[in-house]
Amino acid sequence: GAVVSQHPSRVICKSGTSVKIECRSLDFQATTMFWYRQFPKQSLMLMATSNEGSKATYEQGVEKDKFLINHASLTLSTLTVTSAHPEDSSFYICSASERGGFNEQFFGPGTRLTVL
Amino acid sequence: LAKTTQPISMDSYEGQEVNITCSHNNIATNDYITWYQQFPSQGPRFIIQGYKTKVTNEVASLFIPADRKSSTLSLPRVSLSDTAVYYCLVGDIGDNNDMRFGAGTRLTVKP
């Protein structure tokens, strides 16, 4: 089956620093990647949708200058949380859909970000 | 955007069949219905997907009525390890990239 990885799985950083999270599709080409954020005991909140080679489409209320998304290739998308603050602490999950594939998202294992 | 509505929580016992229904009154013609399972601190895991009628795989069945305004995920003979949050997602990745999750259903399976 299609596999999506995320790195790192867990990160702790100081307030004000930037953190980059990588999302990779390991055995397929991902036309589209999605980034979600999930707070404890809540549902996944879609942050942005990115298509390879084009700018990401951000959901309303998500600051594009704070959450930088780069989808430079068909197998890699990155989310950079710039100048992170404690309220950015959350579980970040990416997913990818396959080029020409069935209408399905494949999810990564998630990245737990803790900002001190 | 096809908004989804599910029960917030459900309880069941080991060995029982569990049916979770999702309402999606505004489903569009090209939308598919996909169900995911999520354990704490993990990414969602695909369970089943359908467009209409009934779909069955090795872990679940998905029932979709003719009007497609709802769908029911059926889990046969649940076990303790099926305790998780279940989400139904309605959309078309290829069309509008509209993949927003609803609140999900927290299923608790008791011994």
Short mmCIF file of all heavy atoms in Angstrom, two decimals, chain A residues 40-98:
data_model
loop_
_atom_site.label_atom_id
_atom_site.label_comp_id
_atom_site.label_asym_id
_atom_site.label_seq_id
_atom_site.Cartn_x
_atom_site.Cartn_y
_atom_site.Cartn_z
N PRO A 40 -5.66 18.37 21.06
CA PRO A 40 -6.12 17.22 21.85
C PRO A 40 -7.64 17.08 21.85
O PRO A 40 -8.37 18.05 22.05
CB PRO A 40 -5.57 17.51 23.24
CG PRO A 40 -4.35 18.34 22.99
CD PRO A 40 -4.69 19.19 21.81
N LYS A 41 -8.09 15.86 21.60
CA LYS A 41 -9.50 15.49 21.62
C LYS A 41 -10.35 16.29 20.62
O LYS A 41 -11.56 16.42 20.81
CB LYS A 41 -10.07 15.64 23.04
CG LYS A 41 -9.40 14.71 24.04
CD LYS A 41 -10.18 14.61 25.32
CE LYS A 41 -9.46 13.71 26.32
NZ LYS A 41 -9.30 12.34 25.80
N GLN A 42 -9.72 16.80 19.60
CA GLN A 42 -10.45 17.49 18.56
C GLN A 42 -10.20 16.81 17.22
O GLN A 42 -9.33 15.95 17.09
CB GLN A 42 -10.03 18.96 18.48
CG GLN A 42 -10.41 19.78 19.69
CD GLN A 42 -10.14 21.26 19.49
OE1 GLN A 42 -10.05 21.74 18.37
NE2 GLN A 42 -10.01 21.98 20.59
N SER A 43 -11.00 17.20 16.25
CA SER A 43 -10.86 16.64 14.91
C SER A 43 -9.68 17.27 14.19
O SER A 43 -9.06 18.22 14.67
CB SER A 43 -12.15 16.89 14.13
OG SER A 43 -12.06 16.34 12.84
N LEU A 44 -9.37 16.71 13.04
CA LEU A 44 -8.32 17.29 12.22
C LEU A 44 -8.84 18.57 11.56
O LEU A 44 -9.95 18.59 11.04
CB LEU A 44 -7.90 16.32 11.12
CG LEU A 44 -7.08 15.11 11.52
CD1 LEU A 44 -7.95 14.02 12.11
CD2 LEU A 44 -6.32 14.57 10.31
N MET A 45 -8.02 19.59 11.59
CA MET A 45 -8.37 20.85 10.94
C MET A 45 -7.49 21.04 9.73
O MET A 45 -6.27 21.09 9.85
CB MET A 45 -8.19 22.02 11.91
CG MET A 45 -9.14 22.01 13.08
SD MET A 45 -8.67 23.16 14.39
CE MET A 45 -7.94 24.50 13.49
N LEU A 46 -8.10 21.14 8.57
CA LEU A 46 -7.32 21.35 7.36
C LEU A 46 -6.69 22.73 7.38
O LEU A 46 -7.35 23.74 7.61
CB LEU A 46 -8.23 21.22 6.13
CG LEU A 46 -7.56 21.39 4.77
CD1 LEU A 46 -6.54 20.28 4.53
CD2 LEU A 46 -8.62 21.38 3.65
N MET A 47 -5.37 22.75 7.17
CA MET A 47 -4.65 24.01 7.14
C MET A 47 -4.47 24.51 5.71
O MET A 47 -4.68 25.68 5.42
CB MET A 47 -3.26 23.86 7.78
CG MET A 47 -3.28 23.42 9.22
SD MET A 47 -1.63 23.14 9.85
CE MET A 47 -0.96 24.80 9.82
N ALA A 48 -4.03 23.59 4.85
CA ALA A 48 -3.73 24.01 3.48
C ALA A 48 -3.66 22.80 2.57
O ALA A 48 -3.46 21.67 3.02
CB ALA A 48 -2.42 24.77 3.43
N THR A 49 -3.85 23.08 1.31
CA THR A 49 -3.74 22.07 0.26
C THR A 49 -2.65 22.51 -0.70
O THR A 49 -2.64 23.68 -1.12
CB THR A 49 -5.07 21.95 -0.50
OG1 THR A 49 -6.11 21.63 0.41
CG2 THR A 49 -4.98 20.86 -1.56
N SER A 50 -1.75 21.62 -1.03
CA SER A 50 -0.69 22.01 -1.96
C SER A 50 -0.60 21.04 -3.12
O SER A 50 -0.69 19.84 -2.95
CB SER A 50 0.66 22.08 -1.22
OG SER A 50 1.14 20.80 -0.91
N ASN A 51 -0.44 21.60 -4.28
CA ASN A 51 -0.21 20.83 -5.49
C ASN A 51 1.22 21.03 -5.93
O ASN A 51 1.77 22.13 -5.84
CB ASN A 51 -1.16 21.27 -6.60
CG ASN A 51 -2.60 20.94 -6.27
OD1 ASN A 51 -2.97 19.78 -6.14
ND2 ASN A 51 -3.41 21.96 -6.10
N GLU A 52 1.84 19.97 -6.41
CA GLU A 52 3.24 20.03 -6.79
C GLU A 52 3.50 21.14 -7.78
O GLU A 52 2.81 21.25 -8.80
CB GLU A 52 3.67 18.67 -7.36
CG GLU A 52 5.14 18.58 -7.72
CD GLU A 52 5.39 18.85 -9.19
OE1 GLU A 52 4.45 18.70 -9.98
OE2 GLU A 52 6.52 19.20 -9.54
N GLY A 53 4.48 21.96 -7.44
CA GLY A 53 4.90 23.02 -8.34
C GLY A 53 4.09 24.29 -8.28
O GLY A 53 4.39 25.25 -9.00
N SER A 54 3.08 24.33 -7.45
CA SER A 54 2.29 25.56 -7.35
C SER A 54 2.13 25.98 -5.89
O SER A 54 2.44 25.21 -4.98
CB SER A 54 0.92 25.37 -8.01
OG SER A 54 0.21 24.35 -7.37
N LYS A 55 1.64 27.18 -5.70
CA LYS A 55 1.48 27.69 -4.34
C LYS A 55 0.37 26.96 -3.62
O LYS A 55 -0.62 26.53 -4.22
CB LYS A 55 1.17 29.19 -4.39
CG LYS A 55 2.34 30.05 -4.83
CD LYS A 55 1.98 31.53 -4.75
CE LYS A 55 3.17 32.40 -5.14
NZ LYS A 55 2.83 33.85 -5.05
N ALA A 56 0.53 26.87 -2.32
CA ALA A 56 -0.48 26.20 -1.51
C ALA A 56 -1.73 27.06 -1.37
O ALA A 56 -1.66 28.29 -1.41
CB ALA A 56 0.09 25.87 -0.14
N THR A 57 -2.85 26.40 -1.20
CA THR A 57 -4.11 27.08 -0.92
C THR A 57 -4.41 26.93 0.55
O THR A 57 -4.57 25.80 1.04
CB THR A 57 -5.25 26.46 -1.75
OG1 THR A 57 -4.93 26.56 -3.14
CG2 THR A 57 -6.55 27.18 -1.46
N TYR A 58 -4.47 28.05 1.26
CA TYR A 58 -4.65 28.03 2.70
C TYR A 58 -6.12 28.16 3.07
O TYR A 58 -6.89 28.87 2.42
CB TYR A 58 -3.85 29.15 3.35
CG TYR A 58 -2.36 28.93 3.31
CD1 TYR A 58 -1.62 29.21 2.16
CD2 TYR A 58 -1.68 28.43 4.42
CE1 TYR A 58 -0.25 28.99 2.12
CE2 TYR A 58 -0.32 28.21 4.39
CZ TYR A 58 0.40 28.49 3.22
OH TYR A 58 1.74 28.26 3.19
N GLU A 59 -6.48 27.49 4.16
CA GLU A 59 -7.82 27.63 4.69
C GLU A 59 -7.98 28.99 5.37
O GLU A 59 -6.99 29.60 5.82
CB GLU A 59 -8.11 26.53 5.71
CG GLU A 59 -8.20 25.15 5.07
CD GLU A 59 -9.39 25.03 4.15
OE1 GLU A 59 -10.53 25.05 4.64
OE2 GLU A 59 -9.17 24.90 2.91
N GLN A 60 -9.19 29.43 5.45
CA GLN A 60 -9.47 30.71 6.09
C GLN A 60 -8.99 30.68 7.54
O GLN A 60 -9.24 29.71 8.26
CB GLN A 60 -10.97 30.99 6.05
CG GLN A 60 -11.35 32.41 6.41
CD GLN A 60 -12.82 32.68 6.16
OE1 GLN A 60 -13.59 31.76 5.86
NE2 GLN A 60 -13.22 33.93 6.25
N GLY A 61 -8.27 31.72 7.91
CA GLY A 61 -7.79 31.82 9.29
C GLY A 61 -6.40 31.25 9.49
O GLY A 61 -5.83 31.40 10.58
N VAL A 62 -5.84 30.61 8.49
CA VAL A 62 -4.48 30.07 8.59
C VAL A 62 -3.52 31.05 7.95
O VAL A 62 -3.66 31.40 6.77
CB VAL A 62 -4.37 28.69 7.90
CG1 VAL A 62 -2.93 28.18 7.97
CG2 VAL A 62 -5.32 27.70 8.52
N GLU A 63 -2.54 31.52 8.73
CA GLU A 63 -1.61 32.54 8.23
C GLU A 63 -0.56 31.90 7.33
O GLU A 63 0.27 31.11 7.78
CB GLU A 63 -0.92 33.22 9.42
CG GLU A 63 -1.86 33.88 10.39
CD GLU A 63 -1.09 34.41 11.60
OE1 GLU A 63 -0.13 35.17 11.39
OE2 GLU A 63 -1.44 34.05 12.74
N LYS A 64 -0.58 32.28 6.08
CA LYS A 64 0.36 31.68 5.13
C LYS A 64 1.80 32.12 5.39
O LYS A 64 2.74 31.40 5.01
CB LYS A 64 -0.04 32.01 3.70
CG LYS A 64 -0.03 33.48 3.35
CD LYS A 64 -0.47 33.68 1.91
CE LYS A 64 -0.46 35.14 1.53
NZ LYS A 64 -0.91 35.35 0.13
N ASP A 65 1.99 33.27 6.01
CA ASP A 65 3.36 33.71 6.30
C ASP A 65 3.92 33.03 7.54
O ASP A 65 5.12 33.04 7.77
CB ASP A 65 3.39 35.22 6.51
CG ASP A 65 3.07 35.97 5.23
OD1 ASP A 65 3.36 35.42 4.14
OD2 ASP A 65 2.51 37.08 5.30
N LYS A 66 3.05 32.46 8.32
CA LYS A 66 3.50 31.75 9.52
C LYS A 66 3.69 30.27 9.23
O LYS A 66 4.61 29.64 9.75
CB LYS A 66 2.49 31.92 10.65
CG LYS A 66 2.91 31.22 11.92
CD LYS A 66 2.04 31.60 13.07
CE LYS A 66 2.51 30.92 14.33
NZ LYS A 66 3.89 31.32 14.70
N PHE A 67 2.83 29.72 8.43
CA PHE A 67 2.90 28.31 8.08
C PHE A 67 3.27 28.21 6.60
O PHE A 67 2.42 28.21 5.72
CB PHE A 67 1.57 27.62 8.36
CG PHE A 67 1.17 27.66 9.80
CD1 PHE A 67 0.24 28.59 10.25
CD2 PHE A 67 1.70 26.76 10.71
CE1 PHE A 67 -0.14 28.63 11.58
CE2 PHE A 67 1.32 26.78 12.05
CZ PHE A 67 0.40 27.73 12.48
N LEU A 68 4.58 28.11 6.37
CA LEU A 68 5.09 28.09 5.00
C LEU A 68 5.06 26.67 4.45
O LEU A 68 5.60 25.76 5.06
CB LEU A 68 6.52 28.64 4.95
CG LEU A 68 6.71 30.07 5.47
CD1 LEU A 68 8.18 30.46 5.43
CD2 LEU A 68 5.86 31.05 4.68
N ILE A 69 4.43 26.50 3.31
CA ILE A 69 4.33 25.19 2.71
C ILE A 69 5.02 25.19 1.35
O ILE A 69 4.79 26.06 0.52
CB ILE A 69 2.86 24.77 2.55
CG1 ILE A 69 2.25 24.54 3.94
CG2 ILE A 69 2.73 23.50 1.70
CD1 ILE A 69 0.77 24.29 3.93
N ASN A 70 5.87 24.20 1.17
CA ASN A 70 6.60 24.03 -0.07
C ASN A 70 6.37 22.62 -0.59
O ASN A 70 6.63 21.65 0.11
CB ASN A 70 8.10 24.27 0.16
CG ASN A 70 8.88 24.26 -1.13
OD1 ASN A 70 8.54 23.57 -2.08
ND2 ASN A 70 9.93 25.05 -1.19
N HIS A 71 5.86 22.51 -1.79
CA HIS A 71 5.62 21.21 -2.41
C HIS A 71 6.45 21.16 -3.68
O HIS A 71 5.93 21.29 -4.78
CB HIS A 71 4.13 21.06 -2.70
CG HIS A 71 3.71 19.69 -3.09
ND1 HIS A 71 2.38 19.31 -3.15
CD2 HIS A 71 4.41 18.61 -3.45
CE1 HIS A 71 2.29 18.06 -3.53
NE2 HIS A 71 3.51 17.61 -3.72
N ALA A 72 7.74 20.97 -3.50
CA ALA A 72 8.69 21.13 -4.59
C ALA A 72 8.77 19.94 -5.53
O ALA A 72 9.22 20.07 -6.67
CB ALA A 72 10.07 21.43 -4.02
N SER A 73 8.35 18.78 -5.06
CA SER A 73 8.43 17.60 -5.91
C SER A 73 7.21 16.73 -5.69
O SER A 73 6.41 17.00 -4.78
CB SER A 73 9.70 16.81 -5.61
OG SER A 73 9.55 16.07 -4.40
N LEU A 74 7.09 15.71 -6.48
CA LEU A 74 5.93 14.82 -6.37
C LEU A 74 6.02 13.87 -5.18
O LEU A 74 5.10 13.08 -4.95
CB LEU A 74 5.76 14.01 -7.66
CG LEU A 74 5.21 14.80 -8.84
CD1 LEU A 74 5.29 13.97 -10.11
CD2 LEU A 74 3.75 15.20 -8.58
N THR A 75 7.10 13.94 -4.43
CA THR A 75 7.22 13.06 -3.28
C THR A 75 7.53 13.80 -1.98
O THR A 75 7.66 13.17 -0.94
CB THR A 75 8.34 12.02 -3.51
OG1 THR A 75 9.58 12.70 -3.72
CG2 THR A 75 8.02 11.13 -4.70
N LEU A 76 7.61 15.10 -2.01
CA LEU A 76 8.00 15.84 -0.81
C LEU A 76 7.24 17.14 -0.68
O LEU A 76 7.16 17.94 -1.61
CB LEU A 76 9.50 16.13 -0.83
CG LEU A 76 10.04 17.02 0.29
CD1 LEU A 76 9.88 16.34 1.64
CD2 LEU A 76 11.50 17.38 0.03
N SER A 77 6.70 17.34 0.52
CA SER A 77 6.13 18.62 0.88
C SER A 77 6.65 18.97 2.27
O SER A 77 6.84 18.07 3.10
CB SER A 77 4.59 18.57 0.90
OG SER A 77 4.05 19.80 1.34
N THR A 78 6.91 20.24 2.49
CA THR A 78 7.38 20.67 3.81
C THR A 78 6.48 21.75 4.37
O THR A 78 5.96 22.59 3.64
CB THR A 78 8.83 21.19 3.76
OG1 THR A 78 8.89 22.32 2.87
CG2 THR A 78 9.79 20.12 3.29
N LEU A 79 6.33 21.69 5.69
CA LEU A 79 5.59 22.71 6.43
C LEU A 79 6.56 23.34 7.41
O LEU A 79 7.16 22.62 8.22
CB LEU A 79 4.41 22.10 7.18
CG LEU A 79 3.74 22.98 8.24
CD1 LEU A 79 3.02 24.15 7.59
CD2 LEU A 79 2.75 22.16 9.09
N THR A 80 6.76 24.63 7.31
CA THR A 80 7.63 25.33 8.24
C THR A 80 6.79 26.24 9.11
O THR A 80 6.09 27.12 8.60
CB THR A 80 8.69 26.16 7.49
OG1 THR A 80 9.48 25.31 6.66
CG2 THR A 80 9.61 26.88 8.48
N VAL A 81 6.86 25.99 10.41
CA VAL A 81 6.19 26.86 11.37
C VAL A 81 7.19 27.93 11.77
O VAL A 81 8.20 27.63 12.43
CB VAL A 81 5.72 26.07 12.60
CG1 VAL A 81 4.96 26.97 13.56
CG2 VAL A 81 4.87 24.88 12.18
N THR A 82 6.97 29.14 11.33
CA THR A 82 7.93 30.21 11.59
C THR A 82 7.63 30.91 12.90
O THR A 82 6.46 31.07 13.27
CB THR A 82 7.91 31.24 10.44
OG1 THR A 82 6.61 31.83 10.38
CG2 THR A 82 8.23 30.59 9.11
N SER A 83 8.69 31.28 13.61
CA SER A 83 8.55 31.98 14.89
C SER A 83 7.47 31.32 15.74
O SER A 83 6.46 31.93 16.09
CB SER A 83 8.21 33.45 14.65
OG SER A 83 8.22 34.17 15.87
N ALA A 84 7.71 30.06 16.04
CA ALA A 84 6.71 29.28 16.77
C ALA A 84 6.47 29.82 18.17
O ALA A 84 7.38 30.31 18.84
CB ALA A 84 7.16 27.83 16.83
N HIS A 85 5.23 29.72 18.60
CA HIS A 85 4.84 30.11 19.94
C HIS A 85 4.09 28.96 20.60
O HIS A 85 3.64 28.03 19.92
CB HIS A 85 3.97 31.37 19.90
CG HIS A 85 4.74 32.60 19.53
ND1 HIS A 85 4.84 33.07 18.24
CD2 HIS A 85 5.47 33.45 20.29
CE1 HIS A 85 5.58 34.14 18.21
NE2 HIS A 85 5.98 34.39 19.44
N PRO A 86 3.96 29.00 21.92
CA PRO A 86 3.30 27.87 22.61
C PRO A 86 1.93 27.49 22.04
O PRO A 86 1.58 26.31 22.03
CB PRO A 86 3.20 28.37 24.05
CG PRO A 86 4.39 29.26 24.20
CD PRO A 86 4.54 29.95 22.87
N GLU A 87 1.19 28.46 21.54
CA GLU A 87 -0.13 28.15 20.99
C GLU A 87 -0.06 27.38 19.67
O GLU A 87 -1.09 26.87 19.18
CB GLU A 87 -0.96 29.42 20.79
CG GLU A 87 -0.31 30.46 19.90
CD GLU A 87 0.48 31.50 20.68
OE1 GLU A 87 0.99 31.17 21.77
OE2 GLU A 87 0.58 32.64 20.18
N ASP A 88 1.15 27.29 19.10
CA ASP A 88 1.33 26.48 17.88
C ASP A 88 1.57 25.02 18.22
O ASP A 88 1.63 24.17 17.30
CB ASP A 88 2.51 27.01 17.06
CG ASP A 88 2.29 28.43 16.57
OD1 ASP A 88 1.14 28.77 16.24
OD2 ASP A 88 3.26 29.22 16.57
N SER A 89 1.73 24.72 19.49
CA SER A 89 1.91 23.33 19.90
C SER A 89 0.69 22.53 19.49
O SER A 89 -0.45 22.88 19.83
CB SER A 89 2.09 23.25 21.42
OG SER A 89 3.25 23.94 21.84
N SER A 90 0.93 21.47 18.76
CA SER A 90 -0.18 20.70 18.22
C SER A 90 0.37 19.43 17.55
O SER A 90 1.58 19.21 17.51
CB SER A 90 -0.96 21.53 17.19
OG SER A 90 -2.14 20.88 16.78
N PHE A 91 -0.53 18.64 17.03
CA PHE A 91 -0.18 17.45 16.26
C PHE A 91 -0.41 17.80 14.80
O PHE A 91 -1.54 18.14 14.42
CB PHE A 91 -1.07 16.29 16.72
CG PHE A 91 -0.66 14.94 16.23
CD1 PHE A 91 0.63 14.48 16.41
CD2 PHE A 91 -1.58 14.10 15.61
CE1 PHE A 91 1.01 13.22 15.98
CE2 PHE A 91 -1.22 12.83 15.17
CZ PHE A 91 0.08 12.39 15.36
N TYR A 92 0.63 17.76 14.01
CA TYR A 92 0.53 18.13 12.59
C TYR A 92 0.58 16.86 11.74
O TYR A 92 1.48 16.03 11.89
CB TYR A 92 1.67 19.08 12.21
CG TYR A 92 1.53 20.44 12.85
CD1 TYR A 92 2.04 20.67 14.13
CD2 TYR A 92 0.86 21.48 12.21
CE1 TYR A 92 1.89 21.91 14.74
CE2 TYR A 92 0.71 22.72 12.81
CZ TYR A 92 1.22 22.94 14.07
OH TYR A 92 1.07 24.16 14.67
N ILE A 93 -0.38 16.74 10.86
CA ILE A 93 -0.51 15.53 10.05
C ILE A 93 -0.58 15.92 8.58
O ILE A 93 -1.30 16.86 8.21
CB ILE A 93 -1.79 14.75 10.41
CG1 ILE A 93 -1.86 14.48 11.90
CG2 ILE A 93 -1.87 13.43 9.63
CD1 ILE A 93 -3.22 13.93 12.36
N CYS A 94 0.17 15.21 7.77
CA CYS A 94 0.07 15.45 6.34
C CYS A 94 -0.59 14.24 5.67
O CYS A 94 -0.64 13.15 6.24
CB CYS A 94 1.44 15.70 5.72
SG CYS A 94 2.46 14.22 5.57
N SER A 95 -1.11 14.47 4.50
CA SER A 95 -1.64 13.37 3.70
C SER A 95 -1.34 13.65 2.24
O SER A 95 -1.05 14.78 1.85
CB SER A 95 -3.15 13.19 3.91
OG SER A 95 -3.86 14.27 3.32
N ALA A 96 -1.40 12.61 1.45
CA ALA A 96 -1.07 12.75 0.04
C ALA A 96 -2.05 11.93 -0.79
O ALA A 96 -2.51 10.87 -0.36
CB ALA A 96 0.35 12.27 -0.22
N SER A 97 -2.37 12.47 -1.96
CA SER A 97 -3.20 11.71 -2.88
C SER A 97 -2.36 11.40 -4.11
O SER A 97 -1.53 12.20 -4.54
CB SER A 97 -4.47 12.49 -3.26
OG SER A 97 -4.14 13.68 -3.95
N GLU A 98 -2.62 10.25 -4.67
CA GLU A 98 -1.77 9.73 -5.73
C GLU A 98 -2.17 10.26 -7.10
O GLU A 98 -3.37 10.32 -7.40
CB GLU A 98 -1.83 8.21 -5.72
CG GLU A 98 -0.89 7.51 -6.68
CD GLU A 98 -0.90 6.01 -6.47
OE1 GLU A 98 -1.73 5.53 -5.67
OE2 GLU A 98 -0.09 5.32 -7.09
#
